[in-house]
Amino acid sequence: MTAVLGAVIGVVIGLAIGALLGYALRRSATRDQELEAQRQADQLLAEAQAKEKEILLGAKEEAIRVRAQAEEELKSRRDEVLRLEQRVANREENLDRKLDALERREAAFTERERQQEETRAELEELRKAKIAEVERVSGMTSSEARDLLLKELEQEIREDANRLVRSIEAEAREEADARARRILATSMQRLIADVVTETTVSVVPIPSDDMKGRIIGREGRNIRALETATGVDLIIDDTPDAVTLSAFDPVRRETARVALTKLVLDGRIHPTRIEEVVEKARHEVEASIKTAGEQAAIEAGCPGLHPEILRTLGKLKYRTSYGQNQLKHAVESAFIAAMIAEEIGADVNVARRGALLHDLGKAIDHEVEGTHAMLGGELARRYNVSPAVVHCIEAHHEEIEVETVEAVIVQIADAISGSRPGARRETLELYIKRLEALEGIANSFKGVEKAFAIQAGREIRILVKPEEIDDLESMRLARDVSKKIEESMEYPGQIKVTVVRETRATEYAR
């Protein structure tokens, strides 16, 4: 028991001693940490104080530098102000000197004017004295002498002017004729275009004559439906394997041709189907018209035209004049006008566009009342075509007075394109009748000896009796014949009327 108690006491004492030793060790470690923290804090404080001194020193140096810079800038500005003040003072001094000089010059000028006025008065007195002396010696007043001198000078100047005018006219006429022939020949040689005559009827081929009955339909209902939908006359006769379409409106005729071709290929022909096919054909023709107008503008070199102008121009694809396709005629005229304008130095762009659009009104002249030239000009003006081009369109048949050289060029291009051999079709019988009618009109006037229609009917030459028709009557006869031709005949282009009056004197030397 005693041994156990002793062991317990020993353990307790050992624990107490261990606790005391642990406490002493922890106290020693804590003191060391506090000392290390104090040392680090002192070190950081010393570093902060050093940086603070460094920052304060840098700030003082920067302040000194900024102050010195400001003082330097202030000094330079003060010097600049002094220089400006000096310049202003010098300028004021110069202005004062110039003002003094101007005042002196003005005084001298006033004195000189006074002296000139006195001299002028003296000269006027001398002139009057001389005039009075001349009038006394010649026995004429000054107004009479002046009138006489002016009359003599006027007569002399008039004679010189007449001679000069005749000489200039002769030279200009010779030069103009030669140059015009050269320009026209060059333009026509540079242009190569196919010519295909067209008619006002279209022929649609059919596979067999049995198809004619299907086109006519029961009691003619199919042909009536087709004619009603298209506005075109269908001619079904004994012509084998063909149906003829006839209409004045070329667009309607083309629509009917496309529709009938589709119906024949499809084989289903009845009124409802006819209406559907005609509507589709109308859209196809409208698209082809737009495409044709755009291609013509590109080919002629006239970009930027309004879409409605292009659409109307495209309608000319289905319009003919004496068998000549009017869209090809317009493009060809544009080429010719551009070449002529380039040769003579005119506005090529205006001439080109005016020639391309000169027959624009033919696409709508069957829809609106009026001549095609004026209708085309009004349509072009509505869609902001330039006034110079509009004038070319309206004046190409001289329905208004020609004011520009480009308008004359368009007239020439139109005439060349329409009068080229093979460009337009005319039957021999109609051709002969037209020539006979021209000669008959000329022979119907009094004093006409003979009349000849030449140049394919584009000129009529009249020989008159000189004892009955004088020169003045010849001019009047030419005008009367041209007016009667305009009133009683229809013809493309223009017809030149030439009256020839010749007096011959013959004598024989024996």
Side-chain angles (χ1 to χ4, degrees):
M1 184 68 180
T2 304
V4 172
L5 183 59
V8 170
I9 292 170
V11 171
V12 170
I13 291 171
L15 291 173
I17 292 170
L20 291 173
L21 288 174
Y23 175 74
L25 290 174
R26 284 196 302 272
R27 181 69 179 274
S28 176
T30 301
R31 187 180 297 112
D32 291 340
Q33 290 177 356
E34 289 177 354
L35 290 175
E36 180 64 23
Q38 183 65 35
R39 187 182 63 78
Q40 291 180 357
D42 292 341
Q43 185 179 357
L44 290 175
L45 181 60
E47 291 177 357
Q49 288 176 351
K51 288 184 179 180
E52 182 181 2
K53 289 180 181 180
E54 184 179 352
I55 291 172
L56 289 175
L57 182 60
K60 288 181 180 179
E61 291 178 354
E62 181 66 20
I64 293 171
R65 187 184 63 78
V66 171
R67 184 176 179 181
Q69 184 177 358
E71 290 178 352
E72 183 67 25
E73 185 177 354
L74 180 62
K75 182 180 178 182
S76 63
R77 289 188 178 182
R78 189 181 296 112
D79 294 341
E80 182 66 23
V81 170
L82 291 176
R83 285 195 298 270
L84 291 175
E85 290 178 351
Q86 184 63 33
R87 288 178 61 186
V88 170
N90 293 336
R91 187 167 295 178
E92 288 180 352
E93 185 177 355
N94 291 334
L95 288 176
D96 291 338
R97 287 198 299 270
K98 289 181 180 179
L99 183 60
D100 294 339
L102 286 175
E103 290 177 352
R104 291 194 298 270
R105 189 176 299 174
E106 184 179 0
F109 184 73
T110 303
E111 178 64 23
R112 191 178 303 164
E113 278 190 343
R114 187 185 62 78
Q115 294 176 359
Q116 288 179 354
E117 190 65 28
E118 293 177 355
T119 304
R120 202 176 291 116
E122 294 176 359
L123 290 175
E124 183 65 21
E125 292 178 359
L126 289 174
R127 189 182 69 82
K128 290 180 179 179
K130 287 183 179 180
I131 290 174
E133 182 65 21
V134 170
E135 290 178 353
R136 186 185 64 79
V137 172
S138 63
M140 298 174 60
T141 63
S142 60
S143 60
E144 292 174 348
R146 183 171 57 253
D147 293 340
L148 180 60
L149 180 61
L150 288 176
K151 287 181 180 179
E152 293 178 355
L153 288 175
E154 180 182 4
Q155 183 65 25
E156 183 178 354
I157 292 172
R158 191 181 298 277
E159 292 176 357
D160 292 341
N162 289 335
R163 285 194 297 271
L164 181 61
V165 167
R166 286 194 296 270
S167 175
I168 292 175
E169 284 181 350
E171 293 177 0
R173 191 177 295 109
E174 293 177 0
E175 182 179 357
D177 290 343
R179 190 177 181 192
R181 291 190 186 95
R182 179 180 61 81
I183 291 173
L184 293 179
T186 302
S187 301
M188 295 179 70
Q189 288 173 357
R190 288 172 60 187
L191 179 68
I192 300 177
D194 294 333
V195 177
V196 180
T197 58
E198 300 182 9
T199 62
T200 58
V201 296
S202 298
V203 178
V204 178
I206 57 177
S208 64
D209 287 343
D210 295 338
M211 183 62 68
K212 293 182 179 181
R214 299 177 62 183
I215 294 173
I216 295 173
R218 183 179 301 174
E219 298 178 355
R221 64 176 185 174
N222 290 344
I223 191 172
R224 284 198 303 272
L226 189 57
E227 289 180 345
T228 302
T230 60
V232 173
D233 293 332
L234 270 72
I235 303 174
I236 300 178
D237 50 17
D238 296 335
T239 305
D241 300 333
V243 174
T244 304
L245 305 176
S246 177
F248 179 77
D249 189 336
V251 177
R252 292 205 304 264
R253 190 175 68 250
E254 178 65 14
T255 303
R257 187 193 67 79
V258 173
L260 185 57
T261 302
K262 290 180 177 293
L263 289 170
V264 170
L265 292 176
D266 185 40
R268 294 175 296 169
I269 305 176
H270 52 83
T272 303
R273 180 63 179 168
I274 288 172
E275 292 179 359
E276 295 176 358
V277 173
V278 167
E279 187 63 26
K280 291 181 181 179
R282 188 172 289 114
H283 289 302
E284 290 183 10
V285 172
E286 187 68 25
S288 69
I289 286 172
K290 181 180 178 183
T291 302
E294 294 172 351
Q295 290 178 349
I298 294 172
E299 185 178 356
C302 300
L305 294 174
H306 192 278
E308 188 62 28
I309 294 290
L310 294 176
R311 176 180 171 276
T312 307
L313 181 65
K315 289 184 178 181
L316 295 178
K317 175 182 179 182
Y318 303 110
R319 176 68 187 262
T320 62
S321 177
Y322 292 91
Q324 184 181 29
N325 184 279
Q326 289 301 281
L327 186 58
K328 294 182 179 178
H329 165 64
V331 175
E332 182 178 302
S333 299
F335 290 153
I336 297 173
M339 288 186 283
I340 295 176
E342 188 175 359
E343 288 286 340
I344 66 176
D347 193 324
V348 177
N349 187 47
V350 171
R352 189 195 303 274
R353 289 174 179 261
L356 178 66
L357 304 178
H358 76 280
D359 279 341
L360 192 66
K362 286 187 176 181
I364 58 174
D365 59 356
H366 58 285
E367 302 172 358
V368 184
E369 185 176 356
T371 62
H372 75 273
M374 302 308 294
L375 290 175
E378 181 62 29
L379 182 64
R381 189 181 294 107
R382 188 186 310 162
Y383 292 104
N384 298 324
V385 177
S386 68
V389 176
V390 173
H391 176 70
C392 292
I393 297 172
E394 294 179 339
H396 79 276
H397 281 317
E398 296 186 353
E399 295 181 19
I400 63 173
E401 185 177 356
V402 178
E403 298 177 355
T404 63
V405 66
E406 289 78 13
V408 177
I409 292 173
V410 171
Q411 290 180 340
I412 296 172
D414 180 29
I416 292 175
S417 176
S419 61
R420 290 193 304 109
R424 297 191 174 185
R425 172 184 51 81
E426 191 173 27
T427 63
L428 179 61
E429 183 180 356
L430 293 176
Y431 173 74
I432 295 175
K433 286 183 178 180
R434 185 161 66 88
L435 297 186
E436 290 176 350
L438 280 175
E439 294 180 355
I441 290 174
N443 289 322
S444 65
F445 286 86
K446 182 181 178 181
V448 175
E449 184 176 0
K450 294 179 181 179
F452 304 98
I454 60 176
Q455 297 288 334
R458 296 189 177 275
E459 180 180 354
I460 181 166
R461 191 163 297 173
I462 304 171
L463 304 180
V464 298
K465 301 175 182 178
E467 63 275 8
E468 298 182 11
I469 304 292
D470 57 13
D471 291 341
L472 185 60
E473 286 292 333
S474 299
M475 298 174 61
R476 188 178 294 112
L477 177 63
R479 185 172 60 253
D480 293 342
V481 171
S482 62
K483 285 184 177 179
K484 189 169 182 180
I485 292 174
E486 292 173 358
E487 294 171 355
S488 58
M489 294 187 64
E490 294 183 359
Y491 49 90
Q494 60 184 8
I495 297 176
K496 181 180 179 182
V497 178
T498 303
V499 175
V500 179
R501 178 179 180 271
E502 183 181 21
T503 302
R504 297 185 181 183
T506 304
E507 187 60 47
Y508 296 94
R510 295 179 176 83

